[in-house]
Amino acid sequence: MSASPEAKFTEETVLWVKRHTPKLMTFAITRPEAYRFAAGQFSRLGFRDGEGFLWRAYSVVSAEYADTLEYFVVLIENGPMSARFADLQAGDTLLLDKTATGFLLPERFADGRDLVMLSTGSGIAPFLSVIQQPALWQRFERLALVHSVSYADELIFADDMARLAEHPLVGDYHSRFTFQPVLTRAHAAGALDKRLPELLRNGELAAALNMEFSPEHTRFMLCGNPAMVKDTFQALLELGFAMHRNKIPGQIIMENGF
Ligand SMILES: Cc1cc2nc3c(=O)[nH]c(=O)nc-3n(C[C@H](O)[C@H](O)[C@H](O)COP(=O)(O)OP(=O)(O)OC[C@H]3O[C@@H](n4cnc5c(N)ncnc54)[C@H](O)[C@@H]3O)c2cc1C
Ligand SMILES: NC(=O)c1ccc[n+]([C@@H]2O[C@H](COP(=O)([O-])OP(=O)(O)OC[C@H]3O[C@@H](n4cnc5c(N)ncnc54)[C@H](OP(=O)(O)O)[C@@H]3O)[C@@H](O)[C@H]2O)c1
């Protein structure tokens, strides 16, 4: 006999909601004591919808050891879940599937010296969790988080990245961390201004991060727009990197962010 859908999720309370731009929001929900996830994984969040349910995947932004679960959501025009999130308020109930999933896990790399996380839009979310894990900092010498968005007001985590130096568990490692913003339809000081595949091919990204990318030392994680993931993977293949598989080690791990 299969379990009833009711047994597969818990009902959580929305603790706070922040609206950064008309289409970008972050929020946190209560975390059940039994809810386990690895940094880089995603939750399935849901609403009751008439007789049924509406479910979508959202990467966890919080650290594995956090008391609450935080998410970063891009609202999509005419999207069913986005319409529900547009009205979300503290105190509302959100459904949380009991199982977190995903293979965007840095610990899958058995070796490597530098970890470069490439993201577009909401694809930054899993990496915000990853960089709060002390074990990762002990494992890699340098960490770089690259966030590509179209316009400057979408870089909503830039201040948090600067404040990472004050983080109680990973702050001491901050000198080994680089946050690199990329704006694809605007210009700003400190931001690169081309799409990620081009920045890889022309060497601009490596120069900005002050890193030499090599299959021996560099490990890449990709998350975001599926077209970006595909095109960036292709650029990395051309540069001599390969997909990481558990039985055939490589240098690239990726996940489509939607
Ligand atoms: C593994 C995984 C993790 C995800 N994590 C996140 C997350 O952390 N934050 C988040 O906002 N969304 C995330 N998504 C997308 C999310 O599940 C929903 O699809 C999204 O919130 C839109 O839902 P919707 O019902 O409003 O529209 P949908 O009907 O689900 O989507 C409509 C269309 O909008 C576009 N779209 C969907 N999501 C995005 C997005 N995030 N950015 C740009 N375009 C998009 C796609 O072209 C899609 O076909 C994730 C998806 C997957 C598969
Ligand atoms: N951002 C916009 O101005 C805009 C406009 C119309 C509709 N929308 C819609 O709004 C929603 C959310 O958009 P979003 O801007 O958060 O997400 P997005 O469209 O995925 O864009 C995020 C970042 O990914 C880049 N990107 C897209 N395709 C790429 C590729 N193949 N290779 C490398 N980089 C790539 C974008 O560059 P580019 O800026 O060069 O695309 C941008 O820097 C989506 O439904 C989107 O279709 C967005």
Side-chain angles (χ1 to χ4, degrees), residues 94-95 100 117 147 159 168 255:
L94 203 51
L95 310 181
M117 294 165 272
H147 192 203
D159 291 345
E255 182 173 87

Side-chain angles (χ1 to χ4, degrees), residues 9-30:
F9 63 81
T10 55
E11 296 201 19
E12 303 306 323
T13 302
V14 177
L15 297 169
W16 53 260
V17 178
K18 282 185 205 155
R19 298 190 185 274
H20 304 267
T21 72
K23 72 168 193 181
L24 301 184
M25 61 188 284
T26 48
F27 62 86
I29 61 172
T30 46

Side-chain angles (χ1 to χ4, degrees), residues 34-90:
Y35 191 78
R36 289 287 169 266
F37 69 96
Q41 288 192 312
F42 58 89
S43 307
R44 274 165 46 81
L45 300 179
F47 290 99
R48 292 183 191 277
D49 189 28
E51 300 281 286
F53 299 92
L54 186 58
W55 291 103
R56 293 286 186 275
Y58 295 94
S59 299
V60 185
V61 166
S62 311
E64 289 175 13
Y65 46 82
D67 294 335
T68 62
L69 294 171
E70 186 178 335
Y71 300 93
F72 168 41
V73 169
V74 176
L75 297 178
I76 305 300
E77 215 171 312
N78 302 321
M81 195 75 169
S82 300
R84 304 293 290 264
F85 280 140
D87 297 330
L88 195 74
Q89 290 181 29

Side-chain angles (χ1 to χ4, degrees), residues 173-191:
Y173 306 109
H174 197 255
S175 60
R176 297 201 258 122
F177 177 62
T178 309
F179 174 66
Q180 179 58 59
V182 176
L183 298 179
T184 41
R185 303 188 194 193
H187 304 278

Side-chain angles (χ1 to χ4, degrees), residues 185-208:
R185 303 188 194 193
H187 304 278
L192 300 174
D193 58 5
K194 298 174 190 73
R195 283 180 163 194
L196 292 171
E198 190 179 348
L199 292 172
L200 284 165
R201 287 192 177 101
N202 70 10
E204 255 187 271
L205 184 63

